[in-house]
Amino acid sequence: MRALPTPTTEPALVGGRRAPSGGRLPWSWARQALEEARNYWIATNRPGRPPHCRPVWGVWQLDGFWFTTGSRANRNLAKDDAIAVHLESGQQVVIVEGRAVRTREHADLIRFAKAVDTKYGWDAVPADDGVTDPEGNGGPVYVVRPGLVLGWNTDVSVATRWEFGT
């Protein structure tokens, strides 16, 4: 697992202008929100069609956001690995933009299965193509290493842009 580099930080634009305070949120604020979230929304690109959005379960690790899905997103990511990940909350906003890389490494699948079992009580185990549970739910496993993360607080008085240069 390769830990993310320290991001560069600057005030972000929200609605085309800087937040009123012009301040910055610490990366620890965004990281904690990503770690503690229960549900995440992903958006992938459908070739020649509108984007595909759906909620997923996932875990934030030292090297990025890990998730699995059995949805249309798999076909989209096979053609275009660009992805956006958004927290469920519209009050504590964190948006991750990056690339989704599929992992088939057995050690990664074991680590992911243990992390989702701890977080969700989901009895997932490694499979040939990702992870699965006793009912056959699951799918390929992806890690999203962020290039850009945007975040702002409840009243949008502070908005921050973190760039990872990855």
Side-chain angles (χ1 to χ4, degrees):
M1 173 179 1
R2 179 181 54 126
L4 293 172
T6 301
T8 59
T9 305
E10 64 182 62
L13 297 176
V14 178
R17 54 194 144 97
R18 297 239 181 261
S21 78
R24 298 177 192 176
L25 296 162
W27 171 241
S28 59
W29 176 89
R31 191 184 65 242
Q32 181 177 354
L34 287 160
E35 289 170 355
E36 293 176 355
R38 178 157 178 86
N39 301 306
Y40 307 81
W41 282 87
I42 61 170
T44 59
N45 296 314
R46 273 193 288 211
R49 302 200 50 216
H52 172 74
C53 297
R54 67 168 292 115
V56 297
W57 281 355
V59 291
W60 184 264
Q61 305 271 358
L62 289 175
D63 59 344
F65 176 69
W66 289 70
F67 73 98
T68 185
T69 184
S71 78
R72 167 79 190 168
N74 293 320
R75 290 190 301 275
N76 296 346
L77 292 169
K79 294 182 179 177
D80 183 348
D81 64 356
I83 191 167
V85 180
H86 192 299
L87 298 183
E88 189 172 44
S89 172
Q91 299 297 307
Q92 182 179 25
V93 175
V94 179
I95 303 166
V96 176
E97 295 178 359
R99 302 280 174 197
V101 177
R102 185 172 174 182
T103 184
R104 292 177 171 90
E105 294 294 323
H106 192 71
D108 288 342
L109 300 177
I110 290 171
R111 186 166 47 95
F112 175 73
K114 286 180 181 177
V116 295
D117 185 42
T118 298
K119 185 172 182 178
Y120 299 101
W122 183 39
D123 190 21
V125 295
D128 290 340
D129 61 346
V131 295
T132 189
D133 67 12
E135 287 79 39
N137 300 309
V141 174
Y142 298 91
V143 60
V144 178
R145 292 189 175 86
L148 172 70
V149 177
L150 300 168
W152 55 87
N153 60 357
T154 303
D155 63 0
V156 195
S157 63
V158 180
T160 305
R161 174 186 179 104
W162 298 275
E163 288 197 49
F164 287 87
T166 57

